[in-house]
Amino acid sequence: MNLTKILGTQLCIPLEYEKEPVDSGSKIGGIAPLNAKPIYDVNEQKYFCTIVLDELWSVSIFYSFDINGVDEKRDIISYNNQPLYQCNLIHAVVHKNEKSSTGLSIPSDVTCHKIKIGELQSDLLSGETNMVIPFSKIGGTPYVDNIALVGRAFEKLYSDGYKQLFQFDTPNPSRQPYIDGFPWDPGWLHVFVREDDIEKYKFAFVVQQ
């Protein structure tokens, strides 16, 4: 699994949320794949998504933020727009591809939908000369909605050697009204990675809201 061909370049691979529910492959919501074992054992843990990187390996993301702001210690508002590293609040695991578990795996608050992986393309928005794609994608440069608010978070991760692996944007209600429970609404989840060896991957995150 070698991502260095696109990470840190001006290229990206678009991701699209589809209506179809699936129990394997790239997806958001539903039940986590059987081989996706969370690192942290917390009661509030939720499964967010899985992206298949190649024929063997996938990355799945788990979180335990309180999206509704009831639990002050887990209130997502307190963690927005800043670098976040692997912890019980949010983390990613690399695992071999497998169908979803039907038993003890971690469930999700998000309705289950296939994620369609597109073709490698320029990271610049069509018709623009300096605006990167604001939609979901693999690789590319983070789309920044408010530089003053979140810019330093991305600068910090870049200075630490991280590169954007995934960017997930809030589903458009006019195009994707079938998605419910999206935890970063309104906003984006950015997933960063450091190193290019599967045994040494380190992940970091920015919830941009």
Side-chain angles (χ1 to χ4, degrees):
M1 182 173 60
N2 187 349
L3 297 170
T4 57
K5 292 181 180 179
I6 66 167
L7 296 190
T9 71
Q10 295 180 332
L11 301 174
C12 72
I13 297 175
L15 302 173
E16 181 74 18
Y17 309 123
E18 302 208 319
K19 187 174 183 178
E20 174 189 358
V22 291
D23 64 358
S24 63
S26 297
K27 69 190 188 89
I28 59 168
I31 303 293
L34 185 62
N35 285 343
K37 305 295 186 184
I39 299 172
Y40 302 94
D41 183 15
V42 292
N43 293 333
E44 301 86 0
Q45 188 125 247
K46 301 293 182 182
Y47 164 68
F48 173 56
C49 77
T50 296
I51 299 294
V52 175
L53 297 177
D54 59 29
E55 293 181 354
L56 290 178
W57 297 102
S58 296
V59 173
S60 290
I61 299 169
F62 300 88
Y63 68 94
S64 61
F65 293 116
D66 180 1
I67 306 303
N68 299 313
V70 176
D71 187 336
E72 183 176 339
K73 292 182 179 179
R74 297 186 297 110
D75 186 354
I76 192 170
I77 298 297
S78 300
Y79 301 95
N80 282 349
N81 306 310
Q82 58 186 283
L84 301 171
Y85 301 92
Q86 294 271 75
C87 65
N88 63 349
L89 287 171
I90 187 165
H91 70 281
V93 294
V94 179
H95 59 90
K96 289 190 175 181
N97 297 330
E98 183 60 86
K99 289 186 175 181
S100 298
S101 169
T102 57
L104 301 177
S105 192
I106 306 298
S108 175
D109 285 342
V110 188
T111 51
C112 182
H113 303 281
K114 177 181 179 181
I115 295 180
K116 179 182 177 181
I117 297 179
E119 300 294 329
L120 189 65
Q121 66 174 60
S122 169
D123 190 36
L124 292 178
L125 193 63
S126 178
E128 300 286 342
T129 58
N130 58 2
M131 181 177 177
V132 299
I133 291 176
F135 312 117
S136 299
K137 59 189 178 183
I138 298 175
T141 299
Y143 172 77
V144 182
D145 184 50
N146 186 328
I147 294 177
L149 184 64
V150 71
R152 289 184 180 179
F154 295 124
E155 290 175 1
K156 169 62 175 171
L157 291 176
Y158 280 129
S159 68
D160 287 344
Y162 286 89
K163 297 176 182 179
Q164 178 166 270
L165 179 59
F166 307 130
Q167 173 177 291
F168 299 99
D169 74 307
T170 298
N172 187 321
S174 65
R175 293 188 295 108
Q176 300 143 329
Y178 41 80
I179 298 176
D180 190 26
F182 197 81
W184 328 114
D185 182 9
W188 296 260
L189 173 66
H190 303 268
V191 181
F192 284 76
V193 68
R194 191 170 70 185
E195 302 292 344
D196 60 2
D197 183 275
I198 191 170
E199 299 298 331
K200 298 180 181 178
Y201 274 167
K202 296 181 179 178
F203 294 95
F205 311 84
V206 174
V207 178
Q208 183 182 179
Q209 288 186 316

